[in-house]
Amino acid sequence: MKTLTISFCLLISSLLSAQTYSGNQEDIDIILANIEAFSEDVMKGNAEALGMAYTEDAKIFPNNMDITHGRDAITNYWLMPKGVKIKYHKVIPEEIKVTEDEAYDYGYYEDTTLRPDGTEASWKDKYVIVWKKVENDWKIHLDIWNSLPAEYLPLSSKTNHLSPHFHQSQFFRQKELQANQACEAYFLQ
């Protein structure tokens, strides 16, 4: 019985961080490489390269803003205000699904921003991207991201954010801790 319970606890822990990728593996690998390059360009502040990650007629849907249409406008969106630097950016896809010349992925991204006054803000938000295959590359066609309500933030993090964002990694660490505590409680009975 204890072996079954240990297996169950390990399954619950692995489900908390599961990723699902389906479709042509070569296309998935290109999308994953483009996701990594995107984060690198965000940290470099390379708005031109970020704009080129999108299709010519792409649209972005930033949180609490109008839709931005077209590569030129998207490139301008990615220009950082003076004194602002993205120190860390990482995209964590939960699912990527490729179907012929279109794909989607969704998940979370982490960011640490250095503000003009020298303070930092860190958070993790959610996103959905629709990709289009252009020649032999994958480009972002639709890109939406937004935050979750402030009540999902750990209390200690609420004052360190530019806007209310869900700190997902801490949420999952809490869920994993709860699952581990439940397992330990079972074994201590």
Side-chain angles (χ1 to χ4, degrees):
M1 183 65 179
K2 284 188 178 183
T3 303
L4 180 62
T5 304
I6 290 171
S7 297
F8 177 74
C9 291
L10 290 173
L11 174 65
I12 294 297
S13 292
S14 69
L15 289 175
L16 291 173
S17 61
Q19 294 175 317
T20 304
Y21 301 156
S22 63
N24 179 300
Q25 188 60 49
E26 189 175 310
D27 290 328
I28 291 168
D29 291 343
I30 292 169
I31 290 171
L32 288 169
N34 288 351
I35 288 170
E36 188 173 324
F38 188 90
S39 286
E40 290 172 13
D41 288 328
V42 168
M43 290 185 289
K44 291 176 186 173
N46 189 343
E48 193 67 35
L50 290 166
M52 292 305 295
Y54 291 86
T55 63
E56 189 66 43
D57 60 342
K59 292 158 190 69
I60 62 172
F61 304 77
N63 196 35
N64 296 318
M65 293 179 68
D66 284 336
I67 299 169
T68 302
H69 301 263
R71 184 181 287 153
D72 291 341
I74 291 169
T75 300
N76 286 333
Y77 172 86
W78 287 109
L79 293 170
M80 289 291 113
K82 186 175 181 168
V84 173
K85 176 162 178 31
I86 307 300
K87 290 180 62 175
Y88 175 75
H89 188 273
K90 181 179 180 180
V91 177
I92 305 134
E94 285 201 353
E95 181 175 351
I96 298 174
K97 184 171 184 174
V98 177
T99 309
E100 296 180 24
D101 291 342
E102 291 188 340
Y104 70 80
D105 86 279
Y106 69 85
Y108 297 90
Y109 69 93
E110 301 173 332
D111 188 298
T112 300
T113 301
L114 180 64
R115 298 175 180 142
D117 66 1
T119 61
E120 291 183 0
S122 297
W123 63 82
K124 200 166 197 173
D125 285 339
K126 58 188 176 174
Y127 75 93
V128 175
I129 292 177
V130 174
W131 297 84
K132 274 193 174 180
K133 195 168 193 176
V134 178
E135 297 173 13
N136 290 323
D137 197 7
W138 284 91
K139 301 281 187 181
I140 300 169
H141 184 62
L142 302 173
D143 188 2
I144 184 169
W145 62 92
N146 56 47
S147 57
L148 292 174
E151 60 263 20
Y152 289 96
L153 277 174
L155 188 58
S156 63
S157 300
K158 288 183 181 177
T159 58
N160 190 33
H161 294 274
L162 294 171
S163 59
H165 294 280
F166 174 56
H167 199 285
Q168 188 257 353
S169 60
Q170 282 193 334
F171 171 79
F172 281 114
R173 275 190 237 125
Q174 290 170 348
K175 292 296 180 192
E176 184 177 16
L177 179 61
Q178 290 170 351
N180 290 340
Q181 288 171 340
C183 290
E184 288 174 13
Y186 173 82
F187 288 115
L188 294 177
Q189 293 179 358

